Amino acid sequence: MDNTKLAALAKAARALNQAGIVWGVGASAMLYLVGAAEEFNDFDLLIDPEQSKAARVVFEALGAKALPAAPASASYDTEGFFEYSLDGVDFDLLCGFAIRRKEAVYRYAFGRDRIAEWVSVEGERAPLCPVEDWFVLYLLMPGRQKRATLIARYLKTNPRENSCAWLNRWLGNRLPGDVRERVMTLYGELGKLGRLNR
């Protein structure tokens, strides 16, 4: 992995943490940081929607360049989507991230309670979203089934203590039938693994 990306994340992490922003690394960079993926292209940072402006101020103070707004997508209904380039590395700030599927909108309620763990990146603490959340989010996204399958395989070979609790949060909400079925299947498989490992 090109260390330029991790150095840029460490720089952003230091500034976001010092500013008291509630944020979390999601998507492929999160999978890389937990060891579930071998590479990633950019950073998707989930930001507490109430701190959207403060997070942008932090990036601009670091000298990050705001990139032109992406055209609207029929697949997403995110409240705030901001792209920056920091030291040549792309960062997407996602505030009120939401996926549109067959006329229904599924909003990812990111906040402090959606930080699963913290990892050290070049000496700076970076919060990670739950891997399990991204299993569900990838199932909801168009054309991202392979990524969801990768996560399911990772979770079954690397059992995590709170996996069922994270998945249960989703099962308590409205989900499309096919997604609910996949989530329930993984929930059952991980629950069985948990009992075997006791």
Side-chain angles (χ1 to χ4, degrees):
M1 172 53 60
D2 179 358
N3 285 337
T4 308
K5 290 181 183 174
L6 297 181
L9 177 60
K11 187 175 184 178
R14 185 184 314 116
L16 290 167
N17 292 340
Q18 285 175 350
I21 305 292
V22 176
W23 65 288
V25 182
S28 56
M30 176 270 300
L31 294 177
Y32 173 82
L33 291 169
V34 300
E38 293 182 6
E39 58 185 10
F40 65 96
N41 293 322
D42 58 9
F43 290 103
D44 291 292
L45 304 188
L46 283 295
I47 307 288
D48 183 317
E50 292 182 11
Q51 295 181 309
S52 166
K53 187 174 180 183
R56 282 179 282 152
V57 166
V58 165
F59 267 80
E60 284 153 21
L62 288 173
K65 180 184 170 194
L67 300 176
S73 165
S75 302
Y76 300 96
D77 194 31
T78 301
E79 289 170 16
F81 177 64
F82 309 97
E83 296 182 78
Y84 287 94
S85 177
L86 176 62
D87 298 340
V89 179
D90 287 350
F91 285 81
D92 294 343
L93 307 189
L94 304 169
C95 310
F97 181 52
I99 300 160
R100 183 181 293 284
R101 198 173 192 260
K102 294 179 183 172
E103 303 307 310
V105 173
Y106 301 90
R107 197 162 297 285
Y108 182 40
F110 177 78
R112 198 178 299 278
D113 65 334
R114 277 326 240 256
I115 294 171
E117 59 188 298
W118 292 76
V119 295
S120 177
V121 177
E122 300 207 348
E124 299 298 333
R125 281 165 48 80
L128 304 184
C129 295
V131 176
E132 298 79 3
D133 281 358
W134 284 86
F135 170 71
V136 183
L137 291 169
Y138 280 130
L139 286 175
L140 288 167
M141 291 179 205
R144 305 309 289 272
Q145 301 293 313
K146 282 186 181 173
R147 192 52 62 92
T149 300
L150 180 150
I151 292 175
R153 193 179 309 127
Y154 168 78
L155 289 171
K156 285 185 271 188
T157 53
N158 301 273
R160 299 162 76 85
E161 194 179 332
N162 295 322
S163 283
C164 287
W166 289 118
L167 292 174
N168 201 39
R169 283 189 176 206
W170 288 96
L171 291 170
N173 293 314
R174 178 178 55 100
L175 284 173
D178 60 318
V179 173
R180 177 173 293 279
E181 196 172 307
R182 290 278 305 271
V183 175
M184 286 181 73
T185 298
L186 182 60
Y187 180 92
E189 290 169 342
L190 295 178
K192 204 176 290 180
L193 278 174
R195 288 192 291 279
L196 290 175
N197 291 334
R198 276 179 197 158

